[in-house]
Amino acid sequence: MKRPFLKLAIIAISLSPVWAADDLKLPINLDKLAERATESVDVTLDQSTLQLASGFLSKDDPDEVQVKKMIGKLKGIYVRSFEFDKEGQYSMADVQALRAQLKAPNWSRIVGVKSIKGENTEVYLLKNGDQIAGIVVLDAEPKELTIVHVDGSISPEELSRLGGHMGIPEFSKQKKKAKKDSSSDAKEDEQEDEQSER
Amino acid sequence: MKRLLGVALLATFIPALLPASEFDELVREFSRQTGSAQTHIPFFGIARFAIAISHPAGTSDLRLAVFEHPNVLPRDFAKVTDGIVRGGWNRIVRVQSRKGDSTNIYTRREGNHLRLLLATVDGDDATFIEMRIRPEALMKFVDEHRCERH
């Protein structure tokens, strides 16, 4: 009589890390940060909203079909951003509850950038076999904190395909533009140097 | 000329004769909860009529309600709005500032159309805007008018 319950308990315990990995929760104290911030942004695009958006994409346009397919694999996109007027209005302890969830074996940190100005950026990936099942970006600057969570299967190539749709700039164009800007800046610098020599 | 005037008058007063919509109920509820009075916008019916005909950027309906000096603290505005926006609306964006500004965007599907509801407060005014849009046309409009420099 007890065996079915025992089996259920074992299944539940063995599945719980999987649920925990999928069910990433933003720490509650982030809401308190919003009270201290000069500006806070909360973007919540859950699965139903994403499905709703993808439902309006064309079935005939091959680009939109790709975007639709990509959105179909996402469970949600969440952005929380806080801007402060002074430094020290938040500490890394405030985001520690979130970082504590981004641990191996489910999560792996693929990017960690630290600067002496106090700007820290971390990118975490949730892996499901060979697939990426989620991305978290933590960007902590002295007066700004941004957390982005893309929940669901996605690859960087697929992300770049979003460019040019729904108001998102095309990445290739941005790169070309950045190169163009840097070359025109260099020309301007040369002209200024020539003028100062005269 | 008389015909044109007649159409304009009808466009102005027809909305007042129609039964209360969900948006009207939302506005009334906000007014009741905060004790604020809605500011009348003259000839807004004509603007609605023009939008209903021309569908700019895929918009086929536009509702607007403005409350000057609403009796609500900016930090409570989002809570009040969340409380009165019901019936399948999803909140997708919330921006709040310590100065007292708050912007909340809700969305809902309606057949081939999307309804967007914007609720904002900027310290002096609270504004509710509801739009019925065709997303393909809006996306095309956004992609075509996207600012090149970011």
Side-chain angles (χ1 to χ4, degrees):
Chain A
M1 184 68 186
K2 283 179 184 173
R3 278 195 176 172
F5 289 102
L6 191 68
K7 275 184 187 171
L8 266 177
I10 291 166
I11 291 167
I13 291 164
S14 61
L15 279 178
S16 60
V18 179
W19 291 334
D22 281 342
D23 203 15
L24 189 69
K25 297 263 186 264
L26 286 176
I28 298 159
N29 62 0
L30 285 185
D31 291 332
K32 286 184 182 168
L33 281 183
E35 289 167 16
R36 277 180 260 159
T38 49
E39 190 168 281
S40 71
V41 177
D42 176 353
V43 177
T44 306
L45 300 172
D46 59 16
Q47 198 163 19
S48 62
T49 311
L50 288 171
Q51 294 303 320
L52 191 150
S54 73
F56 294 115
L57 292 170
S58 168
K59 287 171 190 167
D60 305 319
D61 185 334
D63 281 350
E64 291 192 11
V65 170
Q66 289 285 343
V67 174
K68 197 172 183 168
K69 203 187 279 181
M70 192 195 78
I71 291 175
K73 291 188 278 181
L74 294 181
K75 292 177 193 167
I77 300 174
Y78 310 93
V79 181
R80 299 293 299 271
S81 179
F82 306 92
E83 270 181 46
F84 305 94
D85 52 356
K86 285 182 277 182
E87 290 183 19
Q89 294 271 48
Y90 79 96
S91 67
M92 281 320 277
D94 288 317
V95 285
Q96 195 51 43
L98 177 66
R99 293 175 92 206
Q101 295 176 67
L102 306 169
K103 290 274 164 78
N106 298 311
W107 288 91
S108 52
R109 199 177 82 151
I110 57 156
V111 175
V113 181
K114 279 192 179 184
S115 82
I116 49 168
K117 288 179 189 172
E119 294 168 359
N120 301 323
T121 305
E122 291 168 286
V123 180
Y124 295 86
L125 287 186
L126 174 66
K127 283 184 188 166
N128 184 8
D130 294 338
Q131 294 280 313
I132 297 170
I135 300 174
V136 168
V137 180
L138 271 173
D139 183 50
E141 294 175 25
K143 291 184 190 175
E144 205 172 319
L145 174 68
T146 305
I147 301 160
V148 180
H149 177 204
V150 180
D151 187 9
S153 177
I154 192 162
S155 70
E157 297 86 51
E158 284 177 318
L159 262 181
S160 68
R161 276 191 208 129
L162 273 178
H165 297 279
M166 297 179 277
I168 298 165
E170 281 181 63
F171 298 109
S172 55
K173 274 190 184 173
Q174 290 294 309
K175 275 182 189 171
K176 280 178 193 168
K177 198 163 172 49
K179 276 185 186 172
K180 205 178 173 185
D181 286 348
S182 63
S183 63
S184 64
D185 285 348
K187 276 181 188 170
E188 279 172 16
D189 288 345
E190 279 173 20
Q191 282 173 352
E192 278 176 14
D193 288 345
E194 280 173 16
Q195 278 176 353
S196 61
E197 277 172 18
R198 279 174 202 167
Chain B
M1 184 64 190
K2 275 183 182 176
R3 266 188 202 168
L4 194 69
L5 194 68
V7 168
L9 283 171
L10 272 174
T12 310
F13 294 110
I14 275 177
L17 301 172
L18 292 171
S21 70
E22 190 186 20
F23 182 79
D24 295 323
E25 282 171 20
L26 183 148
V27 167
R28 203 174 297 152
E29 188 61 23
F30 180 78
S31 183
R32 192 187 65 77
Q33 286 195 22
T34 61
S36 317
Q38 188 184 345
T39 307
H40 175 66
I41 302 165
F43 302 110
F44 186 68
I46 294 174
R48 279 189 74 194
F49 181 66
I51 287 165
I53 292 171
S54 61
H55 294 191
T59 308
S60 57
D61 189 17
L62 179 72
R63 307 294 309 270
L64 172 69
V66 179
F67 293 85
E68 284 178 359
H69 311 294
N71 300 323
V72 61
L73 289 170
R75 66 169 180 268
D76 294 335
F77 178 76
K79 283 181 197 164
V80 172
T81 312
D82 276 351
I84 58 178
V85 174
R86 302 181 200 113
W89 288 98
N90 288 324
R91 178 171 58 77
I92 55 169
V93 176
R94 167 163 292 159
V95 181
Q96 282 180 294
S97 83
R98 214 167 47 193
K99 281 190 292 179
D101 301 348
S102 174
T103 301
N104 304 274
I105 305 176
Y106 303 84
T107 182
R108 192 175 76 180
R109 186 174 187 154
E110 194 180 81
N112 291 329
H113 289 79
L114 190 72
R115 281 201 173 267
L116 275 180
L117 176 68
L118 282 84
T120 72
V121 66
D122 68 355
D124 289 331
D125 300 321
T127 308
F128 291 89
I129 302 170
E130 189 186 338
M131 288 179 289
R132 186 171 183 262
I133 56 170
R134 203 158 53 82
E136 308 93 299
L138 180 68
M139 282 177 197
K140 198 177 165 197
F141 179 84
V142 169
D143 289 338
E144 282 171 3
H145 295 81
R146 180 167 57 85
C147 184
E148 283 298 321
R149 203 170 177 96
H150 290 272

